[in-house]
Amino acid sequence: MKFSKIDDLTRPQHHHLGKADVCYYLGEYTPRAGFSHSETNDIVQNFKKPVDRRGKPEWWYKEQAIQRIAQELRDSLNPAWLRTATLVPMPPSATKDDPKHDDRMVQVLAAMDRGAGFDIRELLIQTESTEPDHMVGESGHRLTPEERERLMSVDEALASPLPKHIGIFDDVLTNGSHFVAARRVLQRRFPRIEVIGIFFARREIV
Amino acid sequence: MRCSCSGDQCYAPAKAMRQHALRWNATDAPASASVSPLQELGAYESLWMREGMTFAKMAKLFREEPEALPSDLAAAGRADEMAQKVLEILKAAGVSRFGVRINRAAEYPQKLRDAANPVEVLYFRGFWPLVETRAVAVVGTRHPSADGIRRTRRIARLLVKDGYTVVSGLATGVDTAAHVAALEEGGLTIAVIGTSLAACYPAENRDLQDKIASEHLVVSQVPVIRYSVQHAHQNRLFFPERNVTMSALTEATIIVEAGETSGTLIQARAALHQRRKLLILESCFQNKALTWPERFEKKGAIRVRDYDDIRRALG
């Protein structure tokens, strides 16, 4: 499977992204009330299962989704890039001390690595828990990139050695606010380093 | 990967392959073979502007270049210009939101590769995951009898009750009856149209096409620019082509009623070729003026007398 790149055709669906934002995705996630089955939709929904389901039979599906996403990303990324890039998981909406904390993207990157020795670093820290976008609902307030930026910082303990280029990994590209905030925070700290987004899927609104 | 001559007519397979391998190894881009949907649709439209281009010729081009994307085969500057033109044409036709599927990139359905000349690029409006539902095509003549309409509506309704998506081609007659009955039953429906997304045929189905596009799924393989510039009689050649794609997208085709020279028979041939189930209503066999029902039955089509037969055949 080839990665697709966000371009003028798809960017309007991710309205916080600007022309300079470089984002790649493998699939399209198309939520719809009442009916939402597709292979990509099922993987994404299983992947997002909240952590309070741990230990229940359905948790197996989440673990399968983590493995599947890792496999697909690794198969489609350029091996030469993977050897030199710093791979950064998008921090989850719940902070590490929050019982809702879900390190699923960290697990994806670990599963991608499997002894390859990729430069995987949790460079971004979320300083305060936020409501996940998919739980906010239609009328709720979704945080802007500026608001998200104020809740993110770089973990200085991991800032060295200087990254050559950075890929921020996330499951679904929605309105782009997480990515833009994360890119700005990283580029403030590493001004000359290219920061791109790598997503398992982009969200398509019908 | 594009040949260095950049000529729109230059296919240069061996050279292109070598350059592709070189590009992958030499680059440090995260996804050196990534796809820009807009660029690819522009390139595809550009290839379609070549004189005498057909779906068979297009498929041959890509068979000769199995790793190629449309942008590898078309001249670069032209593709951008074509992409902008497509956006303009669709916008002028009131189509502001649409998507594309490109072979080997996001969500392209593998089942399309069962077609003899599989399409590399598909346009769509609506809810794409419908393509992954269990889907059955209900097709037939544009001039059905009253019984033909009644049977179409009944089959579509019962398919919906059994959880199938009803697929048809939005033409007059059987197609329209199938879509409308599926919608009335609260089911899912896909229209595989024989025009570009900017057009509608017949014109009186405009509202139906828009309704299916906004709540269900409309699929078109027809190049937008070529369709807009060539004569209507040339555009008619796109209609049977979409029947091949409709068959590939579904697990079975049910023929309700069709004459000896009906375009529906293109879909019958395609279904058998693609190893899809082909179901023919008993009433077609009863019409002694027709020879095609027996002919297709001998080749593997299933004769169905009532809906239970259809249900059994679908398994």
Side-chain angles (χ1 to χ4, degrees), chain B residues 67-178:
Chain B
E67 293 296 314
L69 289 165
S71 61
D72 294 315
L73 303 177
R78 194 96 203 279
D80 293 343
E81 178 195 322
M82 292 283 163
Q84 290 311 315
K85 181 86 183 152
V86 168
L87 296 181
E88 278 168 30
I89 293 172
L90 289 175
K91 197 174 170 196
V95 178
S96 54
R97 186 174 281 177
F98 68 98
V100 282
R101 292 292 171 244
I102 297 146
N103 186 20
R104 281 175 288 121
E107 311 296 334
Y108 178 92
Q110 271 314 300
K111 53 190 172 185
L112 282 179
R113 304 318 285 178
D114 293 336
N117 294 309
V119 291
E120 293 295 314
V121 174
L122 263 189
Y123 290 94
F124 71 95
R125 292 172 68 196
F127 190 66
W128 181 257
L130 259 60
V131 158
E132 292 185 40
T133 58
R134 290 196 71 180
V136 174
V138 180
V139 292
T141 175
R142 287 164 200 230
H143 308 288
S145 63
D147 276 348
I149 290 286
R150 192 179 49 77
R151 290 184 183 112
T152 304
R153 291 181 51 79
R154 182 162 183 275
I155 290 167
R157 281 201 308 270
L158 292 170
L159 284 170
V160 166
K161 280 194 173 138
D162 280 349
Y164 290 97
T165 297
V166 173
V167 184
S168 200
L170 209 85
T172 311
V174 168
D175 288 16
T176 299

Side-chain angles (χ1 to χ4, degrees), chain A residues 82-98:
Chain A
L82 278 171
R83 277 195 296 274
T84 55
T86 300
L87 317 183
V88 178
M90 183 70 84
S93 45
T95 56
K96 284 198 173 179
D97 53 357
D98 188 320

Side-chain angles (χ1 to χ4, degrees), chain B residues 244-260:
Chain B
V244 179
T245 297
M246 196 197 307
S247 169
L249 285 174
T250 51
E251 60 185 82
T253 288
I254 302 174
I255 300 181
V256 178
E257 202 173 285
E260 278 300 274

Side-chain angles (χ1 to χ4, degrees), chain A residues 147-164:
Chain A
E147 288 167 326
R148 289 194 185 285
E149 245 183 289
R150 288 195 283 275
L151 302 174
M152 258 186 227
S153 61
V154 169
D155 185 347
E156 282 302 325
L158 300 173
S160 177
L162 187 67
K164 289 191 179 70

